[in-house]
Amino acid sequence: MNVYDSARMADLMVPFDYKLTDTSEDADLVVLNTCHIREKAEDKVYSDLGRLRKLRAQKEESGGQMLIAVGGCVGQAEGEEIIKRAPYVDMVFGSQSYHNLPEMVAKTLRDGSKGINLDFSPEPKFDFLLKQSSAEDGVFNKSEFISIQEGCDKFCTFCVVPYTRGAEFSRGSDAILAEARNLVERGTVEITLLGQNVNAYHGVGSDGKDWSLAKLIRELAKIEGLERIRYMTSHPRDMDDELIATHGDIEKLMPLLHLPVQSGSDNILAKMNRKHKADYYLGLVDKLRKARPDITLSSDFIVGFPGESELDFTATKKLVETVGFSQAYTYTYSPRPGTPAAANENQIDESVKNERLTDLQGLIMRQQKAYNTASIGKTVPVLLDRKGKLKGQLLGKSSYGQSVHVLDAEGCEGQILDVVITGALQNSVSGVIQQSLERKHVG
Ligand code: SAM
Ligand code: SF4
């Protein structure tokens, strides 16, 4: 979501003659688009600001200028506090008000005033989101995000999202379909639909009725030239039968689903206010695999949630062993100010959290490596959407979400091609384009 928001901020500045720089040293404006989900992310903002302060002083000494802005969830949560702590910051804005960035920059340049904008309604933001061109070098703009849903009403007891991103909001489906068509006309072939709880999507459709995510995907799949659809992040409770069936029926819907479960212990799931049990999650996995037998799953896990016993942690490892994930993100619980779990007295020792994290990561890494190794010899469609470091090398994503490195791929930039997987590493696989392999055999 932050990657998407950052790209939109860059887009918004294009008409004012700004373009992306490779390093902050070269920038006239530096925007830190921040994350508040864990304490580490928040601490990083202040250490980055310290570094920027020095850079800015150097620039000013040599007659240059550098404006510094803090946007995103830390901006939303801390507001004016940021300027009190780091007075050299020029602008602070939240995750729902970044469409005001050009106006804020213009004002600060005009009169040197500090800009603070913490408006909280996502609707106006989307009106400003027409995609311009802020492409990174070496990336062919074949795969794009579309934000379709924002905020959350679920209030998991560990999470700041409902406080920093606000209440759940779904964009109307007409605007989303128009944005998708516009992207496809410019050459996009893969779209990832984004939302904090994307499968809770219920935007108003052209028929005046609320559309589900399943309905939206079916309509998007009709767009000629759009080859791949993905969505993230989903909540298990919103994974209904209609959406599961869509995985079976719509070939353009890619067979990788990120479905965070957080814990395998019913006791902890209840304390987290997840409102589902481990068995329910396993039932969903079964249904998904029946609908789309080759579907692969990824997830998020929090270890060391307040009160988590060894038995609870063992239940998490058991769930991981039962499902078999192709990848997953693991975090130690980080108390977030203002969330109910932060006030819980049964906080777990950091050393225990870290031990459990290492243990769980080891298990997940073994599963990921096994998944990648099992792909050797298989032929998978890969969207070759960026240049690699080596001459003639392209990088891409398989339909299952694996990163794929392909050598001898000159002339195939931006295409979806069948790749025979020939090697597996921990986080990626390597392969050869099937046609070039056939050519070599013939030769
Ligand atoms: N909406 C998604 C869901 O319900 O699963 C997750 C979105 S959240 C922005 C991304 C991930 O951050 C969560 O799945 C969770 O694993 C992690 N996370 C959120 N709050 C956390 C906290 N206080 N400590 C550690 N990890 C946290
Ligand atoms: Fe946070 Fe996801 Fe829970 Fe919402 S459902 S509160 S975004 S973890």
mmCIF file with all atom_site columns, all heavy atoms in Angstrom, residues 37-38 158-159 161 196-197 233-235 260 262 274 300-302 331-334 336, ligand 1:
data_model
loop_
_atom_site.group_PDB
_atom_site.id
_atom_site.type_symbol
_atom_site.label_atom_id
_atom_site.label_alt_id
_atom_site.label_comp_id
_atom_site.label_asym_id
_atom_site.label_entity_id
_atom_site.label_seq_id
_atom_site.pdbx_PDB_ins_code
_atom_site.Cartn_x
_atom_site.Cartn_y
_atom_site.Cartn_z
_atom_site.occupancy
_atom_site.B_iso_or_equiv
_atom_site.pdbx_formal_charge
_atom_site.auth_seq_id
_atom_site.auth_comp_id
_atom_site.auth_asym_id
_atom_site.auth_atom_id
_atom_site.pdbx_PDB_model_num
ATOM   1   N N   . ILE A 1 37  ? 3.206   0.425   11.684 1.00 0.00 ? 37  ILE A N   1
ATOM   2   C CA  . ILE A 1 37  ? 2.648   -0.868  12.098 1.00 0.00 ? 37  ILE A CA  1
ATOM   3   C C   . ILE A 1 37  ? 3.443   -1.509  13.222 1.00 0.00 ? 37  ILE A C   1
ATOM   4   O O   . ILE A 1 37  ? 2.893   -2.174  14.080 1.00 0.00 ? 37  ILE A O   1
ATOM   5   C CB  . ILE A 1 37  ? 2.484   -1.811  10.865 1.00 0.00 ? 37  ILE A CB  1
ATOM   6   C CG1 . ILE A 1 37  ? 1.472   -2.924  11.143 1.00 0.00 ? 37  ILE A CG1 1
ATOM   7   C CG2 . ILE A 1 37  ? 3.794   -2.409  10.402 1.00 0.00 ? 37  ILE A CG2 1
ATOM   8   C CD1 . ILE A 1 37  ? 0.105   -2.558  10.746 1.00 0.00 ? 37  ILE A CD1 1
ATOM   9   N N   . ARG A 1 38  ? 4.779   -1.302  13.214 1.00 0.00 ? 38  ARG A N   1
ATOM   10  C CA  . ARG A 1 38  ? 5.617   -1.807  14.304 1.00 0.00 ? 38  ARG A CA  1
ATOM   11  C C   . ARG A 1 38  ? 6.541   -0.677  14.765 1.00 0.00 ? 38  ARG A C   1
ATOM   12  O O   . ARG A 1 38  ? 6.839   0.233   14.012 1.00 0.00 ? 38  ARG A O   1
ATOM   13  C CB  . ARG A 1 38  ? 6.439   -3.022  13.844 1.00 0.00 ? 38  ARG A CB  1
ATOM   14  C CG  . ARG A 1 38  ? 5.627   -4.294  13.795 1.00 0.00 ? 38  ARG A CG  1
ATOM   15  C CD  . ARG A 1 38  ? 6.409   -5.429  13.177 1.00 0.00 ? 38  ARG A CD  1
ATOM   16  N NE  . ARG A 1 38  ? 6.695   -5.146  11.787 1.00 0.00 ? 38  ARG A NE  1
ATOM   17  C CZ  . ARG A 1 38  ? 5.828   -5.343  10.785 1.00 0.00 ? 38  ARG A CZ  1
ATOM   18  N NH1 . ARG A 1 38  ? 4.643   -5.830  11.040 1.00 0.00 ? 38  ARG A NH1 1
ATOM   19  N NH2 . ARG A 1 38  ? 6.148   -5.052  9.553  1.00 0.00 ? 38  ARG A NH2 1
ATOM   20  N N   . PHE A 1 158 ? -3.997  -5.940  18.287 1.00 0.00 ? 158 PHE A N   1
ATOM   21  C CA  . PHE A 1 158 ? -2.578  -5.559  18.171 1.00 0.00 ? 158 PHE A CA  1
ATOM   22  C C   . PHE A 1 158 ? -2.351  -4.434  17.166 1.00 0.00 ? 158 PHE A C   1
ATOM   23  O O   . PHE A 1 158 ? -1.250  -3.906  17.053 1.00 0.00 ? 158 PHE A O   1
ATOM   24  C CB  . PHE A 1 158 ? -1.744  -6.777  17.726 1.00 0.00 ? 158 PHE A CB  1
ATOM   25  C CG  . PHE A 1 158 ? -2.254  -7.451  16.467 1.00 0.00 ? 158 PHE A CG  1
ATOM   26  C CD1 . PHE A 1 158 ? -1.941  -6.942  15.212 1.00 0.00 ? 158 PHE A CD1 1
ATOM   27  C CD2 . PHE A 1 158 ? -3.060  -8.575  16.534 1.00 0.00 ? 158 PHE A CD2 1
ATOM   28  C CE1 . PHE A 1 158 ? -2.416  -7.540  14.055 1.00 0.00 ? 158 PHE A CE1 1
ATOM   29  C CE2 . PHE A 1 158 ? -3.542  -9.180  15.386 1.00 0.00 ? 158 PHE A CE2 1
ATOM   30  C CZ  . PHE A 1 158 ? -3.225  -8.661  14.145 1.00 0.00 ? 158 PHE A CZ  1
ATOM   31  N N   . CYS A 1 159 ? -3.367  -4.044  16.392 1.00 0.00 ? 159 CYS A N   1
ATOM   32  C CA  . CYS A 1 159 ? -3.126  -3.330  15.131 1.00 0.00 ? 159 CYS A CA  1
ATOM   33  C C   . CYS A 1 159 ? -3.521  -1.848  15.160 1.00 0.00 ? 159 CYS A C   1
ATOM   34  O O   . CYS A 1 159 ? -4.586  -1.473  15.659 1.00 0.00 ? 159 CYS A O   1
ATOM   35  C CB  . CYS A 1 159 ? -3.896  -4.052  14.032 1.00 0.00 ? 159 CYS A CB  1
ATOM   36  S SG  . CYS A 1 159 ? -3.586  -3.381  12.404 1.00 0.00 ? 159 CYS A SG  1
ATOM   37  N N   . VAL A 1 161 ? -3.884  -0.032  12.319 1.00 0.00 ? 161 VAL A N   1
ATOM   38  C CA  . VAL A 1 161 ? -4.490  0.386   11.039 1.00 0.00 ? 161 VAL A CA  1
ATOM   39  C C   . VAL A 1 161 ? -5.835  1.111   11.205 1.00 0.00 ? 161 VAL A C   1
ATOM   40  O O   . VAL A 1 161 ? -6.045  2.168   10.602 1.00 0.00 ? 161 VAL A O   1
ATOM   41  C CB  . VAL A 1 161 ? -4.585  -0.801  10.051 1.00 0.00 ? 161 VAL A CB  1
ATOM   42  C CG1 . VAL A 1 161 ? -5.470  -0.464  8.864  1.00 0.00 ? 161 VAL A CG1 1
ATOM   43  C CG2 . VAL A 1 161 ? -3.190  -1.176  9.563  1.00 0.00 ? 161 VAL A CG2 1
ATOM   44  N N   . GLN A 1 196 ? -6.352  -2.776  2.765  1.00 0.00 ? 196 GLN A N   1
ATOM   45  C CA  . GLN A 1 196 ? -5.949  -3.345  4.060  1.00 0.00 ? 196 GLN A CA  1
ATOM   46  C C   . GLN A 1 196 ? -6.734  -4.627  4.323  1.00 0.00 ? 196 GLN A C   1
ATOM   47  O O   . GLN A 1 196 ? -6.254  -5.548  4.947  1.00 0.00 ? 196 GLN A O   1
ATOM   48  C CB  . GLN A 1 196 ? -6.238  -2.360  5.194  1.00 0.00 ? 196 GLN A CB  1
ATOM   49  C CG  . GLN A 1 196 ? -5.034  -1.596  5.647  1.00 0.00 ? 196 GLN A CG  1
ATOM   50  C CD  . GLN A 1 196 ? -4.795  -0.407  4.748  1.00 0.00 ? 196 GLN A CD  1
ATOM   51  O OE1 . GLN A 1 196 ? -5.741  0.162   4.215  1.00 0.00 ? 196 GLN A OE1 1
ATOM   52  N NE2 . GLN A 1 196 ? -3.551  -0.046  4.579  1.00 0.00 ? 196 GLN A NE2 1
ATOM   53  N N   . ASN A 1 197 ? -7.964  -4.647  3.854  1.00 0.00 ? 197 ASN A N   1
ATOM   54  C CA  . ASN A 1 197 ? -8.816  -5.833  3.932  1.00 0.00 ? 197 ASN A CA  1
ATOM   55  C C   . ASN A 1 197 ? -9.520  -5.932  2.609  1.00 0.00 ? 197 ASN A C   1
ATOM   56  O O   . ASN A 1 197 ? -10.722 -5.717  2.494  1.00 0.00 ? 197 ASN A O   1
ATOM   57  C CB  . ASN A 1 197 ? -9.865  -5.655  5.022  1.00 0.00 ? 197 ASN A CB  1
ATOM   58  C CG  . ASN A 1 197 ? -9.404  -6.299  6.282  1.00 0.00 ? 197 ASN A CG  1
ATOM   59  O OD1 . ASN A 1 197 ? -9.110  -7.482  6.296  1.00 0.00 ? 197 ASN A OD1 1
ATOM   60  N ND2 . ASN A 1 197 ? -9.346  -5.520  7.326  1.00 0.00 ? 197 ASN A ND2 1
ATOM   61  N N   . THR A 1 233 ? -4.420  -7.187  0.848  1.00 0.00 ? 233 THR A N   1
ATOM   62  C CA  . THR A 1 233 ? -4.300  -8.340  1.731  1.00 0.00 ? 233 THR A CA  1
ATOM   63  C C   . THR A 1 233 ? -5.697  -8.773  2.171  1.00 0.00 ? 233 THR A C   1
ATOM   64  O O   . THR A 1 233 ? -6.544  -7.914  2.442  1.00 0.00 ? 233 THR A O   1
ATOM   65  C CB  . THR A 1 233 ? -3.470  -7.950  2.959  1.00 0.00 ? 233 THR A CB  1
ATOM   66  O OG1 . THR A 1 233 ? -2.154  -7.644  2.529  1.00 0.00 ? 233 THR A OG1 1
ATOM   67  C CG2 . THR A 1 233 ? -3.382  -9.045  3.955  1.00 0.00 ? 233 THR A CG2 1
ATOM   68  N N   . SER A 1 234 ? -5.879  -10.045 2.321  1.00 0.00 ? 234 SER A N   1
ATOM   69  C CA  . SER A 1 234 ? -7.208  -10.564 2.640  1.00 0.00 ? 234 SER A CA  1
ATOM   70  C C   . SER A 1 234 ? -7.318  -10.948 4.096  1.00 0.00 ? 234 SER A C   1
ATOM   71  O O   . SER A 1 234 ? -6.342  -11.316 4.727  1.00 0.00 ? 234 SER A O   1
ATOM   72  C CB  . SER A 1 234 ? -7.450  -11.832 1.837  1.00 0.00 ? 234 SER A CB  1
ATOM   73  O OG  . SER A 1 234 ? -7.414  -11.531 0.495  1.00 0.00 ? 234 SER A OG  1
ATOM   74  N N   . HIS A 1 235 ? -8.543  -10.909 4.588  1.00 0.00 ? 235 HIS A N   1
ATOM   75  C CA  . HIS A 1 235 ? -8.806  -11.401 5.941  1.00 0.00 ? 235 HIS A CA  1
ATOM   76  C C   . HIS A 1 235 ? -9.568  -12.724 5.813  1.00 0.00 ? 235 HIS A C   1
ATOM   77  O O   . HIS A 1 235 ? -10.495 -12.828 5.000  1.00 0.00 ? 235 HIS A O   1
ATOM   78  C CB  . HIS A 1 235 ? -9.656  -10.375 6.697  1.00 0.00 ? 235 HIS A CB  1
ATOM   79  C CG  . HIS A 1 235 ? -9.699  -10.637 8.165  1.00 0.00 ? 235 HIS A CG  1
ATOM   80  N ND1 . HIS A 1 235 ? -10.337 -11.728 8.710  1.00 0.00 ? 235 HIS A ND1 1
ATOM   81  C CD2 . HIS A 1 235 ? -9.146  -9.971  9.207  1.00 0.00 ? 235 HIS A CD2 1
ATOM   82  C CE1 . HIS A 1 235 ? -10.198 -11.716 10.030 1.00 0.00 ? 235 HIS A CE1 1
ATOM   83  N NE2 . HIS A 1 235 ? -9.475  -10.657 10.346 1.00 0.00 ? 235 HIS A NE2 1
ATOM   84  N N   . PRO A 1 260 ? -3.384  -13.832 5.651  1.00 0.00 ? 260 PRO A N   1
ATOM   85  C CA  . PRO A 1 260 ? -2.769  -13.837 6.981  1.00 0.00 ? 260 PRO A CA  1
ATOM   86  C C   . PRO A 1 260 ? -3.639  -14.528 8.025  1.00 0.00 ? 260 PRO A C   1
ATOM   87  O O   . PRO A 1 260 ? -4.854  -14.306 8.075  1.00 0.00 ? 260 PRO A O   1
ATOM   88  C CB  . PRO A 1 260 ? -2.632  -12.353 7.316  1.00 0.00 ? 260 PRO A CB  1
ATOM   89  C CG  . PRO A 1 260 ? -2.668  -11.651 6.008  1.00 0.00 ? 260 PRO A CG  1
ATOM   90  C CD  . PRO A 1 260 ? -3.611  -12.468 5.160  1.00 0.00 ? 260 PRO A CD  1
ATOM   91  N N   . GLN A 1 262 ? -2.037  -15.078 11.363 1.00 0.00 ? 262 GLN A N   1
ATOM   92  C CA  . GLN A 1 262 ? -1.410  -14.495 12.573 1.00 0.00 ? 262 GLN A CA  1
ATOM   93  C C   . GLN A 1 262 ? -0.994  -15.524 13.624 1.00 0.00 ? 262 GLN A C   1
ATOM   94  O O   . GLN A 1 262 ? 0.080   -15.417 14.194 1.00 0.00 ? 262 GLN A O   1
ATOM   95  C CB  . GLN A 1 262 ? -2.299  -13.421 13.252 1.00 0.00 ? 262 GLN A CB  1
ATOM   96  C CG  . GLN A 1 262 ? -2.930  -12.403 12.328 1.00 0.00 ? 262 GLN A CG  1
ATOM   97  C CD  . GLN A 1 262 ? -1.946  -11.526 11.561 1.00 0.00 ? 262 GLN A CD  1
ATOM   98  O OE1 . GLN A 1 262 ? -0.756  -11.584 11.794 1.00 0.00 ? 262 GLN A OE1 1
ATOM   99  N NE2 . GLN A 1 262 ? -2.439  -10.742 10.606 1.00 0.00 ? 262 GLN A NE2 1
ATOM   100 N N   . ARG A 1 274 ? -9.514  -11.850 16.315 1.00 0.00 ? 274 ARG A N   1
ATOM   101 C CA  . ARG A 1 274 ? -9.550  -12.205 14.888 1.00 0.00 ? 274 ARG A CA  1
ATOM   102 C C   . ARG A 1 274 ? -10.923 -12.777 14.496 1.00 0.00 ? 274 ARG A C   1
ATOM   103 O O   . ARG A 1 274 ? -11.257 -12.879 13.317 1.00 0.00 ? 274 ARG A O   1
ATOM   104 C CB  . ARG A 1 274 ? -8.450  -13.220 14.563 1.00 0.00 ? 274 ARG A CB  1
ATOM   105 C CG  . ARG A 1 274 ? -7.056  -12.684 14.689 1.00 0.00 ? 274 ARG A CG  1
ATOM   106 C CD  . ARG A 1 274 ? -6.722  -11.649 13.647 1.00 0.00 ? 274 ARG A CD  1
ATOM   107 N NE  . ARG A 1 274 ? -6.530  -12.218 12.326 1.00 0.00 ? 274 ARG A NE  1
ATOM   108 C CZ  . ARG A 1 274 ? -6.207  -11.517 11.245 1.00 0.00 ? 274 ARG A CZ  1
ATOM   109 N NH1 . ARG A 1 274 ? -6.047  -10.203 11.344 1.00 0.00 ? 274 ARG A NH1 1
ATOM   110 N NH2 . ARG A 1 274 ? -6.044  -12.076 10.083 1.00 0.00 ? 274 ARG A NH2 1
ATOM   111 N N   . ASP A 1 300 ? 0.786   -14.114 7.143  1.00 0.00 ? 300 ASP A N   1
ATOM   112 C CA  . ASP A 1 300 ? 1.515   -13.316 8.139  1.00 0.00 ? 300 ASP A CA  1
ATOM   113 C C   . ASP A 1 300 ? 1.357   -13.995 9.491  1.00 0.00 ? 300 ASP A C   1
ATOM   114 O O   . ASP A 1 300 ? 0.257   -14.513 9.800  1.00 0.00 ? 300 ASP A O   1
ATOM   115 C CB  . ASP A 1 300 ? 0.885   -11.915 8.297  1.00 0.00 ? 300 ASP A CB  1
ATOM   116 C CG  . ASP A 1 300 ? 1.086   -11.012 7.102  1.00 0.00 ? 300 ASP A CG  1
ATOM   117 O OD1 . ASP A 1 300 ? 1.893   -11.345 6.217  1.00 0.00 ? 300 ASP A OD1 1
ATOM   118 O OD2 . ASP A 1 300 ? 0.417   -9.958  7.061  1.00 0.00 ? 300 ASP A OD2 1
ATOM   119 N N   . PHE A 1 301 ? 2.422   -13.945 10.295 1.00 0.00 ? 301 PHE A N   1
ATOM   120 C CA  . PHE A 1 301 ? 2.371   -14.504 11.650 1.00 0.00 ? 301 PHE A CA  1
ATOM   121 C C   . PHE A 1 301 ? 2.957   -13.521 12.645 1.00 0.00 ? 301 PHE A C   1
ATOM   122 O O   . PHE A 1 301 ? 3.969   -12.872 12.362 1.00 0.00 ? 301 PHE A O   1
ATOM   123 C CB  . PHE A 1 301 ? 3.198   -15.798 11.733 1.00 0.00 ? 301 PHE A CB  1
ATOM   124 C CG  . PHE A 1 301 ? 2.595   -16.914 10.937 1.00 0.00 ? 301 PHE A CG  1
ATOM   125 C CD1 . PHE A 1 301 ? 2.963   -17.101 9.614  1.00 0.00 ? 301 PHE A CD1 1
ATOM   126 C CD2 . PHE A 1 301 ? 1.646   -17.752 11.501 1.00 0.00 ? 301 PHE A CD2 1
ATOM   127 C CE1 . PHE A 1 301 ? 2.389   -18.111 8.864  1.00 0.00 ? 301 PHE A CE1 1
ATOM   128 C CE2 . PHE A 1 301 ? 1.069   -18.759 10.747 1.00 0.00 ? 301 PHE A CE2 1
ATOM   129 C CZ  . PHE A 1 301 ? 1.439   -18.947 9.436  1.00 0.00 ? 301 PHE A CZ  1
ATOM   130 N N   . ILE A 1 302 ? 2.313   -13.419 13.804 1.00 0.00 ? 302 ILE A N   1
ATOM   131 C CA  . ILE A 1 302 ? 2.878   -12.636 14.907 1.00 0.00 ? 302 ILE A CA  1
ATOM   132 C C   . ILE A 1 302 ? 3.244   -13.625 16.011 1.00 0.00 ? 302 ILE A C   1
ATOM   133 O O   . ILE A 1 302 ? 2.390   -14.427 16.428 1.00 0.00 ? 302 ILE A O   1
ATOM   134 C CB  . ILE A 1 302 ? 1.851   -11.623 15.449 1.00 0.00 ? 302 ILE A CB  1
ATOM   135 C CG1 . ILE A 1 302 ? 1.510   -10.590 14.370 1.00 0.00 ? 302 ILE A CG1 1
ATOM   136 C CG2 . ILE A 1 302 ? 2.392   -10.926 16.693 1.00 0.00 ? 302 ILE A CG2 1
ATOM   137 C CD1 . ILE A 1 302 ? 0.458   -9.562  14.798 1.00 0.00 ? 302 ILE A CD1 1
ATOM   138 N N   . TYR A 1 331 ? 6.604   -11.860 12.304 1.00 0.00 ? 331 TYR A N   1
ATOM   139 C CA  . TYR A 1 331 ? 6.969   -10.682 13.088 1.00 0.00 ? 331 TYR A CA  1
ATOM   140 C C   . TYR A 1 331 ? 6.911   -11.027 14.570 1.00 0.00 ? 331 TYR A C   1
ATOM   141 O O   . TYR A 1 331 ? 6.073   -11.841 14.985 1.00 0.00 ? 331 TYR A O   1
ATOM   142 C CB  . TYR A 1 331 ? 5.956   -9.539  12.880 1.00 0.00 ? 331 TYR A CB  1
ATOM   143 C CG  . TYR A 1 331 ? 5.662   -9.235  11.429 1.00 0.00 ? 331 TYR A CG  1
ATOM   144 C CD1 . TYR A 1 331 ? 4.478   -9.669  10.832 1.00 0.00 ? 331 TYR A CD1 1
ATOM   145 C CD2 . TYR A 1 331 ? 6.570   -8.505  10.666 1.00 0.00 ? 331 TYR A CD2 1
ATOM   146 C CE1 . TYR A 1 331 ? 4.206   -9.384  9.502  1.00 0.00 ? 331 TYR A CE1 1
ATOM   147 C CE2 . TYR A 1 331 ? 6.301   -8.211  9.341  1.00 0.00 ? 331 TYR A CE2 1
ATOM   148 C CZ  . TYR A 1 331 ? 5.124   -8.655  8.766  1.00 0.00 ? 331 TYR A CZ  1
ATOM   149 O OH  . TYR A 1 331 ? 4.851   -8.367  7.456  1.00 0.00 ? 331 TYR A OH  1
ATOM   150 N N   . THR A 1 332 ? 7.772   -10.359 15.371 1.00 0.00 ? 332 THR A N   1
ATOM   151 C CA  . THR A 1 332 ? 7.551   -10.426 16.814 1.00 0.00 ? 332 THR A CA  1
ATOM   152 C C   . THR A 1 332 ? 6.498   -9.376  17.148 1.00 0.00 ? 332 THR A C   1
ATOM   153 O O   . THR A 1 332 ? 6.434   -8.327  16.492 1.00 0.00 ? 332 THR A O   1
ATOM   154 C CB  . THR A 1 332 ? 8.836   -10.114 17.625 1.00 0.00 ? 332 THR A CB  1
ATOM   155 O OG1 . THR A 1 332 ? 9.354   -8.867  17.183 1.00 0.00 ? 332 THR A OG1 1
ATOM   156 C CG2 . THR A 1 332 ? 9.881   -11.199 17.449 1.00 0.00 ? 332 THR A CG2 1
ATOM   157 N N   . TYR A 1 333 ? 5.684   -9.664  18.142 1.00 0.00 ? 333 TYR A N   1
ATOM   158 C CA  . TYR A 1 333 ? 4.642   -8.710  18.528 1.00 0.00 ? 333 TYR A CA  1
ATOM   159 C C   . TYR A 1 333 ? 5.287   -7.390  18.973 1.00 0.00 ? 333 TYR A C   1
ATOM   160 O O   . TYR A 1 333 ? 6.207   -7.389  19.776 1.00 0.00 ? 333 TYR A O   1
ATOM   161 C CB  . TYR A 1 333 ? 3.767   -9.293  19.650 1.00 0.00 ? 333 TYR A CB  1
ATOM   162 C CG  . TYR A 1 333 ? 2.889   -8.239  20.257 1.00 0.00 ? 333 TYR A CG  1
ATOM   163 C CD1 . TYR A 1 333 ? 1.847   -7.693  19.521 1.00 0.00 ? 333 TYR A CD1 1
ATOM   164 C CD2 . TYR A 1 333 ? 3.131   -7.748  21.545 1.00 0.00 ? 333 TYR A CD2 1
ATOM   165 C CE1 . TYR A 1 333 ? 1.062   -6.679  20.045 1.00 0.00 ? 333 TYR A CE1 1
ATOM   166 C CE2 . TYR A 1 333 ? 2.358   -6.735  22.078 1.00 0.00 ? 333 TYR A CE2 1
ATOM   167 C CZ  . TYR A 1 333 ? 1.326   -6.205  21.315 1.00 0.00 ? 333 TYR A CZ  1
ATOM   168 O OH  . TYR A 1 333 ? 0.557   -5.189  21.826 1.00 0.00 ? 333 TYR A OH  1
ATOM   169 N N   . SER A 1 334 ? 4.776   -6.291  18.449 1.00 0.00 ? 334 SER A N   1
ATOM   170 C CA  . SER A 1 334 ? 5.283   -4.970  18.804 1.00 0.00 ? 334 SER A CA  1
ATOM   171 C C   . SER A 1 334 ? 4.129   -4.169  19.408 1.00 0.00 ? 334 SER A C   1
ATOM   172 O O   . SER A 1 334 ? 3.137   -3.907  18.719 1.00 0.00 ? 334 SER A O   1
ATOM   173 C CB  . SER A 1 334 ? 5.802   -4.312  17.516 1.00 0.00 ? 334 SER A CB  1
ATOM   174 O OG  . SER A 1 334 ? 6.057   -2.959  17.701 1.00 0.00 ? 334 SER A OG  1
ATOM   175 N N   . ARG A 1 336 ? 1.751   -1.424  20.211 1.00 0.00 ? 336 ARG A N   1
ATOM   176 C CA  . ARG A 1 336 ? 1.498   -0.132  19.571 1.00 0.00 ? 336 ARG A CA  1
ATOM   177 C C   . ARG A 1 336 ? 0.649   0.734   20.487 1.00 0.00 ? 336 ARG A C   1
ATOM   178 O O   . ARG A 1 336 ? -0.417  0.287   20.933 1.00 0.00 ? 336 ARG A O   1
ATOM   179 C CB  . ARG A 1 336 ? 0.783   -0.304  18.211 1.00 0.00 ? 336 ARG A CB  1
ATOM   180 C CG  . ARG A 1 336 ? 1.470   -1.204  17.225 1.00 0.00 ? 336 ARG A CG  1
ATOM   181 C CD  . ARG A 1 336 ? 2.961   -0.908  17.052 1.00 0.00 ? 336 ARG A CD  1
ATOM   182 N NE  . ARG A 1 336 ? 3.265   0.349   16.420 1.00 0.00 ? 336 ARG A NE  1
ATOM   183 C CZ  . ARG A 1 336 ? 4.165   1.249   16.891 1.00 0.00 ? 336 ARG A CZ  1
ATOM   184 N NH1 . ARG A 1 336 ? 4.826   1.022   17.996 1.00 0.00 ? 336 ARG A NH1 1
ATOM   185 N NH2 . ARG A 1 336 ? 4.401   2.358   16.239 1.00 0.00 ? 336 ARG A NH2 1
HETATM 186 N N1  . SAM B 2 .   ? -5.429  -6.806  7.243  1.00 0.00 ? 1   SAM B N1  1
HETATM 187 C C1  . SAM B 2 .   ? -4.466  -7.831  7.252  1.00 0.00 ? 1   SAM B C1  1
HETATM 188 C C2  . SAM B 2 .   ? -4.962  -8.934  8.170  1.00 0.00 ? 1   SAM B C2  1
HETATM 189 O O1  . SAM B 2 .   ? -5.938  -8.786  8.832  1.00 0.00 ? 1   SAM B O1  1
HETATM 190 O O2  . SAM B 2 .   ? -4.322  -9.957  8.266  1.00 0.00 ? 1   SAM B O2  1
HETATM 191 C C3  . SAM B 2 .   ? -3.099  -7.376  7.720  1.00 0.00 ? 1   SAM B C3  1
HETATM 192 C C4  . SAM B 2 .   ? -2.647  -6.002  7.497  1.00 0.00 ? 1   SAM B C4  1
HETATM 193 S S1  . SAM B 2 .   ? -1.385  -5.458  8.604  1.00 0.00 ? 1   SAM B S1  1
HETATM 194 C C5  . SAM B 2 .   ? -1.232  -3.892  7.933  1.00 0.00 ? 1   SAM B C5  1
HETATM 195 C C6  . SAM B 2 .   ? 0.043   -6.336  8.053  1.00 0.00 ? 1   SAM B C6  1
HETATM 196 C C7  . SAM B 2 .   ? 0.659   -7.275  9.058  1.00 0.00 ? 1   SAM B C7  1
HETATM 197 O O3  . SAM B 2 .   ? 1.408   -6.598  10.031 1.00 0.00 ? 1   SAM B O3  1
HETATM 198 C C8  . SAM B 2 .   ? -0.320  -8.085  9.866  1.00 0.00 ? 1   SAM B C8  1
HETATM 199 O O4  . SAM B 2 .   ? -0.798  -9.193  9.165  1.00 0.00 ? 1   SAM B O4  1
HETATM 200 C C9  . SAM B 2 .   ? 0.460   -8.491  11.075 1.00 0.00 ? 1   SAM B C9  1
HETATM 201 O O5  . SAM B 2 .   ? 1.068   -9.762  10.920 1.00 0.00 ? 1   SAM B O5  1
HETATM 202 C C10 . SAM B 2 .   ? 1.528   -7.405  11.189 1.00 0.00 ? 1   SAM B C10 1
HETATM 203 N N2  . SAM B 2 .   ? 1.279   -6.573  12.372 1.00 0.00 ? 1   SAM B N2  1
HETATM 204 C C11 . SAM B 2 .   ? 0.283   -5.694  12.552 1.00 0.00 ? 1   SAM B C11 1
HETATM 205 N N3  . SAM B 2 .   ? 0.369   -5.139  13.780 1.00 0.00 ? 1   SAM B N3  1
HETATM 206 C C12 . SAM B 2 .   ? 1.442   -5.697  14.383 1.00 0.00 ? 1   SAM B C12 1
HETATM 207 C C13 . SAM B 2 .   ? 2.028   -5.554  15.668 1.00 0.00 ? 1   SAM B C13 1
HETATM 208 N N4  . SAM B 2 .   ? 1.517   -4.725  16.579 1.00 0.00 ? 1   SAM B N4  1
HETATM 209 N N5  . SAM B 2 .   ? 3.129   -6.293  15.957 1.00 0.00 ? 1   SAM B N5  1
HETATM 210 C C14 . SAM B 2 .   ? 3.646   -7.145  15.042 1.00 0.00 ? 1   SAM B C14 1
HETATM 211 N N6  . SAM B 2 .   ? 3.125   -7.325  13.814 1.00 0.00 ? 1   SAM B N6  1
HETATM 212 C C15 . SAM B 2 .   ? 2.039   -6.611  13.495 1.00 0.00 ? 1   SAM B C15 1
#
